[in-house]
Amino acid sequence: MISYQPLWDTLKEKGVTQYQLINNYGVSAGQLSRLRANSNISTHTVDVLCEILECKVEDVLLHVPNKTLR
């Protein structure tokens, strides 16, 4: 499973709000909704977030192993 918890931590650390992502950077509310639900997003969205936040991919997402697949 992919978790976007690192994104929320990075936003807080950088002092960037979800409101700013939408209004200043053009991130859609739908994308933020998918991120909050840990749903699928495109690598383009990950790239955009990394550019906005000047961070690494691991500052946006984390892979959490799914034990039921083993």
Side-chain angles (χ1 to χ4, degrees), residues 10-38:
T10 301
L11 286 171
K12 185 175 181 179
E13 178 183 310
K14 302 263 183 177
V16 177
T17 66
Q18 292 180 50
Y19 179 86
Q20 289 172 314
L21 288 177
I22 294 168
N23 291 296
N24 298 353
Y25 300 104
V27 176
S28 74
Q31 286 290 13
L32 288 175
S33 178
R34 284 190 283 284
L35 288 160
R36 282 191 294 275
N38 289 324

Side-chain angles (χ1 to χ4, degrees), residues 4 6-7 9 11 13 16 18 20-21 24 27 29 37 43 46-47 50 53-54 56 59 63-64 66 68-70:
Y4 298 105
L7 170 64
D9 298 336
L11 286 171
E13 178 183 310
V16 177
Q18 292 180 50
Q20 289 172 314
L21 288 177
N24 298 353
V27 176
T43 53
V46 174
D47 183 48
C50 288
L53 298 170
E54 299 177 347
K56 299 177 183 178
D59 296 326
H63 175 256
V64 179
N66 185 344
T68 61
L69 294 178
R70 293 180 182 188

